[in-house]
Amino acid sequence: MNEVSNEVSNEVSNEVSVIGPDDGETIRLGPVTMRILEDGSTTGHRLGIGEITLAPHTEGPPQHRHAQHDEGFYVVSGTVHFTIGETVHIAPAGTLAMIPPGAPHTFANPGDEPAVMINTFTPDLYVQYFRDLRDMIAGGRELDAESTIKVMSRYATVPSTDFS
């Protein structure tokens, strides 16, 4: 290998991130837990990844649209209901839902067992949203639709009531 290749190789190996099953930043938001696995710092902010656990009988956020990032959900366990506009998709374990910018969406776990999803953000813009919600709750503000929508607005995300 030439000198340039060694430098590139060393740079890449120094950037590796390995997050074990008990690692990552855990954020509790009422009946929802987000474990941040990649906040974008390893990927040059091209990708963020979280693990979401939804308690049984848990509604997700108000239906909304992202303007600046794609969002992916892979259902690891349980069953999640994704509402895309007016259509509900029942998603058992093994289901992948990819949400492009502009698509109205939300999710819920109406079942009796917890549901776990891997959640991706491309780019990583939305990871900070969960940290902001945590900080809002720690500051004494209630986690409700109004406060959630206000935090969403910081990340090019708006509530969605028009599904055309």
Side-chain angles (χ1 to χ4, degrees):
M1 281 179 121
N2 64 36
E3 210 170 294
V4 172
S5 294
N6 285 334
E7 288 177 24
V8 171
S9 177
N10 288 337
E11 182 179 322
V12 171
S13 66
N14 290 335
E15 300 283 332
V16 170
S17 171
V18 177
I19 305 299
D22 298 320
D23 298 334
E25 177 183 353
T26 300
I27 298 173
R28 287 181 177 58
L29 304 170
V32 176
T33 301
M34 166 61 89
R35 184 168 68 112
I36 298 173
L37 304 173
E38 170 57 51
D39 67 0
S41 59
T42 305
T43 65
H45 302 284
R46 293 179 307 274
L47 173 67
I49 303 173
E51 176 189 73
I52 298 176
T53 302
L54 298 171
H57 310 288
T58 297
E59 293 295 319
Q63 191 156 189
H64 57 280
R65 299 173 194 263
H66 304 292
Q68 297 180 354
H69 71 275
D70 295 277
E71 190 169 26
F73 298 92
Y74 179 78
V75 181
V76 176
S77 64
T79 299
V80 177
H81 289 199
F82 289 98
T83 302
I84 312 300
E86 296 175 348
T87 304
V88 175
H89 300 272
I90 298 173
T95 301
L96 174 67
M98 289 302 304
I99 313 297
H105 65 285
T106 190
F107 53 85
N109 176 11
D112 295 329
E113 300 295 325
V116 177
M117 299 182 288
I118 298 298
N119 189 202
T120 63
F121 314 99
T122 310
D124 71 334
L125 173 70
Y126 218 54
V127 171
Q128 188 61 38
Y129 161 77
F130 295 98
R131 292 173 173 154
D132 287 358
L133 288 177
R134 173 199 58 207
D135 295 346
M136 179 191 75
I137 293 167
R141 181 108 192 238
E142 186 177 337
L143 181 65
D144 57 21
E146 180 182 332
S147 62
T148 299
I149 289 167
K150 185 174 181 179
V151 175
M152 283 179 174
S153 71
R154 299 177 196 160
Y155 301 96
T157 300
V158 297
S160 183
T161 54
D162 174 18
F163 306 125
S164 55

